[in-house]
């Protein structure tokens, strides 16, 4: 004579009614994981870069524009620059000089424009502005220098594209 079934739940193997374990239910549930990425046998060295908030936002915008992460964008850009043997240190220094000149002339143009605005306000309110010609000459010089720097950049870009 077989005795009663010693496990919790219904003796016939059907669903238990008292909230105990269910017959046939697995002991552990497995969570579905994404496909793992194969990794190199050796861990690759990590590099870090410190950026200002402005630099970070410019790089983030560039990475977003091409649909890459910041790390991927930095790696891709650095490798492209390292592989470009036609661009010498002198060319990079010349670009830096042109950009420095462009920013300097932009500042000068801003200062001259501010002086011009102040003189215009003074003249419109009935005052006398004694340095109008000198200020206009400063604006013209700054505008000419800015135009020359922009033309140098455009000619260099066209030369690299050819």
């Amino acid at each position: 004579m077989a005795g009663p079934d010693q496990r919790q739940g219904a003796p016939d193997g059907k669903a238990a009614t008292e909230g105990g374990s269910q017959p046939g239910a697995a002991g552990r549930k497995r969570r579905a994981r994404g496909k793992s990425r194969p990794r190199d046998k050796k861990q690759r060295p990590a590099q870090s870069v410190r950026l200002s908030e402005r630099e970070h936002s410019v790089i983030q915008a560039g990475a977003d524009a091409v649909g890459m992460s910041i790390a991927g964008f930095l790696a891709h850009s650095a490798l492209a620059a390292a592989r470009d043997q036609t661009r010498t240190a002198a060319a990079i220094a010349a670009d830096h000089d042109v950009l420095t000149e462009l920013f300097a002339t932009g500042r000068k143009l801003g200062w001259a424009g501010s002086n011009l605005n102040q003189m215009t306000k003074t003249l419109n309110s009935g005052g006398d502005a004694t340095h109008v010609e000198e200020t206009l000459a400063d604006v013209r010089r700054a505008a000419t220098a800015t135009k020359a720097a922009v033309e140098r950049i455009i000619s260099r870009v066209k030369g690299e594209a050819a």
Side-chain angles (χ1 to χ4, degrees), residues 5 7 9-10 12 14 20 26 46 50-51 64 80 112-113 127 139-140 143 147-148 155 157:
D5 194 358
R7 55 192 173 113
D12 59 359
K14 294 186 179 171
R50 294 180 189 263
L51 302 169
D64 290 344
V139 171
R140 285 186 193 106
K147 183 178 178 184
S155 67
V157 169

Side-chain angles (χ1 to χ4, degrees), residues 4-159:
D5 194 358
Q6 296 298 317
R7 55 192 173 113
Q8 187 177 14
D12 59 359
K14 294 186 179 171
T17 58
E18 295 180 5
S21 62
Q22 301 294 316
R28 283 175 45 188
K29 291 184 181 179
R30 292 186 183 198
R31 289 192 324 187
R33 291 195 298 178
K35 186 175 181 182
S36 66
R37 181 171 60 111
R39 300 205 180 254
D40 294 336
K41 295 292 181 191
K42 293 183 181 179
Q43 187 173 6
R44 296 173 288 175
Q47 306 298 320
S48 68
V49 177
R50 294 180 189 263
L51 302 169
S52 68
E53 287 183 27
R54 184 174 182 279
E55 292 168 335
H56 183 269
S57 64
V58 168
I59 292 171
Q60 179 70 58
D64 290 344
V66 295
M68 296 176 77
S69 67
I70 290 179
F73 184 77
L74 286 172
H76 180 76
S77 300
L79 288 171
R83 289 183 187 124
D84 189 2
Q85 298 300 315
T86 61
R87 220 170 129 79
T88 64
I92 292 170
D95 281 351
H96 182 13
D97 292 344
V98 170
L99 290 174
T100 302
E101 178 184 343
L102 183 61
F103 287 124
T105 58
R107 282 192 305 275
K108 290 175 186 174
L109 190 57
W111 292 331
S114 176
N115 288 342
L116 188 60
N117 284 339
Q118 290 173 10
M119 282 192 297
T120 303
K121 181 179 178 182
T122 302
L123 289 172
N124 284 336
S125 64
D128 186 29
T130 57
H131 303 290
V132 174
E133 290 301 320
E134 184 180 326
T135 302
L136 288 173
D138 288 343
V139 171
R140 285 186 193 106
R141 276 193 300 273
T144 302
T146 302
K147 183 178 178 184
V150 168
E151 287 173 353
R152 284 174 49 192
I153 291 171
I154 290 172
S155 67
R156 179 167 286 133
V157 169
K158 284 182 180 177

